[in-house]
Amino acid sequence: MLIVDSQVHIWAANSPERPWPARHAPHKPEPITKDDMLREMAVAGVDRAILVPPSFEGDRNDIVLAAAQAHPGRFAVMGRLDPEAPTSRDEVRTWLTQPGMLGLRFTFHRPALRPLLTESRIDWLWPEVEKAGVPIMTLLLPSDMHYIDRIAERHPALRLVIDHMGLTKGKDEEAFGELDKLLALAKRPNIAVKATCLPSYTTDAYPYRKLHPYLRRVYDAFGPKRIFWGSDMSRLPCTYRQSVTMFTEEMEFLSTQDLEWIMGRGVCEWLRWKV
């Protein structure tokens, strides 16, 4: 089966020539490069990966685009954009003309960024990306899911993906305490879910049985064609291979056909990444 990781980060070191903005610390003390990622993918049996620029690098896409252009069959990009920059409207219209670019990724869960969503400061964006056919991946607080519901209802041709099954903090019951707010979005056919970074949200050890009932609820709501496996590898408390086999070998409720969709086919079709 085709295995496609729906979210990994690669980055370059903070340097005077390429400084990072003052946001937060990197996931690892040393950068993960495209070559590091290719080696990890070979060991884990992962065919492709969606590269998402980490927020600590700022709103730049140079490293990930270079990787996707060097290895177009292995990498593609969900890029970052400052929606309040004067040039952002023009950039959205031609966003998908960049080789290797499949869409946009926004994070609205941090206090400095949350008002962009909750105060309607970027309402211009949604009709523009819908018209341009640009899919969006987004990370937001569970309490803000109703904003995405409203956007999806108003813009039915806009393809939206919720990162990390809506998780932002905590472990086990605390992490999944507001899962119902994510499940309520399943009624929108233009919303999908990334099952990414999940081992980081449990105190359990591999094969992470505590996570399986929550995944079953998401599966029952969204179905296999709107759930996209991914690792967020730089944050994993387990091996990359285990993040794969947690799904492919340990979840008895998933059929072979389900796994084909969840592990790769679904995200490729959603983002229109030709196989």
Side-chain angles (χ1 to χ4, degrees):
M1 105 184 45
L2 177 70
I3 298 184
V4 182
D5 195 329
S6 64
Q7 178 171 318
V8 296
H9 298 300
I10 64 172
W11 66 91
N14 187 14
S15 67
E17 297 75 27
R18 194 175 177 280
W20 296 349
R23 288 188 175 173
H24 61 90
H27 298 160
K28 302 281 187 183
E30 296 295 327
I32 295 176
T33 68
K34 67 177 178 62
D35 294 330
D36 294 332
M37 199 65 235
L38 288 169
R39 284 191 293 270
E40 291 282 354
M41 290 164 67
V43 172
V46 175
D47 300 296
R48 293 177 160 193
I50 307 292
L51 302 178
V52 178
S55 59
F56 49 80
E57 275 215 321
D59 296 316
R60 50 162 54 111
N61 302 301
D62 54 330
I63 296 295
V64 289
L65 281 175
Q69 290 161 16
H71 303 279
R74 308 301 303 280
F75 297 132
V77 174
M78 294 296 284
R80 302 188 75 92
L81 171 76
D82 178 359
E84 294 190 301
T87 60
S88 57
R89 290 174 185 263
D90 291 334
E91 289 183 69
V92 163
R93 297 186 185 111
T94 59
W95 195 251
L96 298 181
T97 65
Q98 303 173 84
M101 187 67 80
L102 296 181
L104 284 160
R105 201 255 186 155
F106 294 102
T107 50
F108 299 122
H109 66 302
R110 297 185 184 277
L113 300 173
R114 185 170 177 261
L116 295 175
L117 178 68
T118 61
E119 296 177 6
S120 303
R121 283 162 47 181
I122 57 169
D123 276 2
W124 68 268
L125 177 70
W126 315 118
E128 290 291 335
V129 292
E130 181 183 31
K131 186 174 12 177
V134 180
I136 286 179
M137 291 179 174
T138 184
L139 178 60
L140 68 160
L141 297 173
S143 58
D144 291 336
M145 293 291 176
H146 62 287
Y147 293 104
I148 294 298
D149 181 44
R150 190 181 311 154
I151 291 164
E153 180 182 24
R154 292 176 179 174
H155 305 283
L158 172 58
R159 285 162 289 146
L160 294 157
V161 186
I162 307 300
D163 289 358
H164 308 337
M165 285 185 5
L167 306 177
T168 57
K169 63 180 180 179
K171 305 279 186 181
D172 302 322
E173 292 83 358
E174 178 189 1
F176 290 90
E178 297 183 90
L179 185 63
D180 286 344
K181 293 178 179 177
L182 173 73
L183 301 181
L185 300 181
K187 66 180 181 291
R188 306 291 178 202
N190 55 330
I191 295 180
V193 177
K194 282 158 63 179
T196 42
C197 200
L198 298 185
S200 297
Y201 293 101
T202 181
T203 57
D204 204 1
Y206 182 85
Y208 304 112
R209 300 284 181 204
K210 286 185 178 180
L211 295 173
H212 296 198
Y214 300 114
L215 279 159
R216 181 58 192 260
R217 292 181 64 195
V218 174
Y219 169 85
D220 289 342
F222 284 88
K225 295 183 180 181
R226 289 193 289 151
I227 300 171
F228 310 143
W229 168 80
S231 69
D232 204 5
M233 192 192 75
S234 55
R235 294 176 58 198
L236 282 179
C238 61
T239 69
Y240 194 24
R241 180 62 183 164
Q242 285 175 325
S243 75
V244 175
T245 58
M246 169 190 167
F247 279 76
T248 59
E249 298 178 9
E250 301 294 345
M251 294 195 190
E252 297 179 355
F253 64 89
L254 296 177
S255 69
T256 299
Q257 187 176 44
D258 290 337
L259 286 169
E260 287 175 354
W261 282 102
I262 291 169
M263 299 305 296
R265 181 180 176 185
V267 72
C268 286
E269 291 201 7
W270 191 271
L271 300 179
R272 297 172 183 165
W273 188 5
K274 187 176 180 181
V275 176

